[in-house]
Amino acid sequence: EVAFIRELFVYLDQKGYRYAPKPVDGLNNNLWTFHRNQYWLLTNWVKGRSPDFPRKSELMKTFRTLAKFHLHAEGFSADKVPERRIRYEQSYRLPAEYRSEIRKYVGLERFIDLCDQAEAYGHKQAVIRAIESERAAGAFCHGDYNFPNVVMDHSRHLHLIDLENASMNVRMTDLAHILYRNYPWDGEMILNGVEEYERKRSLSVEDRHLLYMLLLIPYPLIRALRKYGKKYHGHIELPSSSRLSHYANILHKLI
C-alpha cells in the first residue's frame, strides 16, 4: 500500500500535475522507511498555510483545485493496486453500512429514510454507468480532501497533500466529501460548490446522478456518531425532517 501511494505521487508528477508533493528517495535510495511502527514517505515540503475555509474565496478556490486534480486522476494502471485499495463498489455499500450504524441510536429515523433513498437511487442505470465509467477510466480519488490536507503557498496556489486514504474509486467521492464537511444539509451552497468545481472540470450527466446519490447519504451524522458516540448531540446540529426534505429537493437540481 505504501508503494501504491508513492506510485500515485509519481504518476501525478509524470502527468505534469504541479500541485502535489513529489516523492524523493531516502537514505540508501530507499523508497520509504519504517519508523516507530509506521511507514513514511519522503517528499518535498510545501511551504504555506491551510486555506481559511470560512473565507468564501478560499473555499471556492479549493473546489477549483479539486477539479484540476481530478482532470489528472485517471489512467492509473490497476495491476499496481492492492486489492483493498480498489473501492469502486464502495458507493453501492455505503447506504446500507450507514443505516446499520444509525439504527443503534434512537430518534434518527429520518436519516434512515435518507439511506433508503440513496440505496434505491444506487440502482439507477445512470449511477451504474457512472461507476463503471470511472472503473474503465482508471480513476482514483484523494480520499480525504478538506482543509487539513490542502496547503496555500505564498503565491496563493493550492496544493493537495497526504494521499494516505487514496484509492481507485469514483472521483465524486472527493467532491461529496468536501461538500458534506463544509455545507452539511445546505442544498443551495452545495449547488454553488458544484458550480465552482465545474469552472475547471465539467461533470457528465452520469457524474451528477452519482453525486446526487452520495449527497443523500447522511455522512455528517455518521462522522459525529463515529467520533463522539452517544455524546454526538453536543457536536452536531441535526436538521428537522422538513429541512431534510427541503435539502433533498434542492439536491434534485443536480440531475
Side-chain angles (χ1 to χ4, degrees):
E1 291 190 50
V2 180
F4 164 65
I5 293 169
R6 189 181 193 282
E7 283 300 312
L8 284 182
F9 279 126
V10 172
Y11 182 78
L12 288 168
D13 186 35
Q14 290 174 345
K15 290 196 71 174
Y17 185 69
R18 298 168 50 202
Y19 301 109
K22 297 173 178 56
V24 296
D25 295 348
L27 293 174
N28 301 317
N29 294 320
N30 290 329
L31 300 183
W32 56 78
T33 188
F34 187 74
H35 180 63
R36 293 184 178 178
N37 296 318
Q38 287 187 319
Y39 286 97
W40 299 82
L41 291 175
L42 185 64
T43 72
N44 63 303
W45 185 261
V46 181
K47 295 181 180 180
R49 61 173 176 84
S50 292
D52 182 5
F53 275 14
R55 185 180 299 173
K56 184 178 179 181
S57 62
E58 294 193 4
L59 180 53
M60 294 300 107
K61 190 178 184 73
T62 309
F63 288 119
R64 298 194 298 272
T65 296
L66 177 62
K68 289 186 281 188
F69 164 66
H70 282 169
L71 288 172
H72 294 82
E74 62 181 21
F76 191 78
S77 176
D79 62 3
K80 299 178 181 178
V81 184
E83 184 175 350
R84 67 190 298 264
R85 292 277 177 162
I86 301 175
R87 300 175 184 167
Y88 297 110
E89 301 293 322
Q90 185 181 57
S91 298
Y92 295 125
R93 298 192 297 268
L94 284 177
E97 291 177 5
Y98 286 5
R99 182 172 56 227
S100 295
E101 293 189 49
I102 294 170
R103 279 180 172 159
K104 299 174 184 177
Y105 300 85
V106 177
L108 300 178
E109 289 77 12
R110 60 193 183 279
F111 299 99
I112 292 175
D113 290 341
L114 277 182
C115 291
D116 292 342
Q117 292 178 46
E119 186 173 49
Y121 205 83
H123 296 296
K124 296 276 188 181
Q125 284 300 310
V127 173
I128 294 170
R129 287 197 301 270
I131 293 173
E132 292 311 308
S133 176
E134 290 288 84
R135 189 198 308 273
F140 56 92
C141 71
H142 180 280
D144 191 16
Y145 188 79
N146 199 37
F147 71 88
N149 292 325
V150 182
V151 177
M152 179 172 281
D153 68 20
H154 301 310
S155 298
R156 297 187 61 78
H157 295 299
L158 286 179
H159 303 250
L160 60 87
I161 60 173
D162 191 358
L163 290 178
E164 181 180 352
N165 293 303
S167 64
M168 306 301 293
N169 202 344
V170 297
R171 285 168 280 191
M172 289 302 94
T173 298
D174 285 335
L175 182 53
H177 182 75
I178 192 171
L179 290 169
Y180 293 137
R181 291 291 304 275
N182 293 281
Y183 303 131
W185 298 300
D186 187 338
E188 289 87 355
M189 292 305 297
I190 279 177
L191 294 181
N192 287 344
V194 173
E195 182 179 352
E196 200 67 26
Y197 178 98
E198 286 206 280
R199 289 179 59 183
K200 297 298 180 181
R201 178 178 182 260
S202 296
L203 297 179
S204 68
V205 172
E206 290 78 12
D207 283 335
R208 286 175 165 270
H209 281 271
L210 175 57
L211 181 61
Y212 172 74
M213 186 206 83
L214 291 172
L215 289 171
L216 283 176
I217 299 170
Y219 174 79
L221 172 61
I222 290 294
R223 185 170 183 270
L225 295 179
R226 289 176 176 176
K227 190 170 184 179
Y228 303 109
K230 293 180 180 180
K231 297 181 180 180
Y232 72 90
H233 289 283
H235 301 276
I236 185 173
E237 180 184 352
L238 294 181
S240 64
S241 295
S242 60
R243 183 180 168 190
L244 283 181
S245 178
H246 176 71
Y247 169 70
N249 289 336
I250 296 296
L251 276 190
H252 204 265
K253 294 181 180 179
L254 283 172
I255 54 178

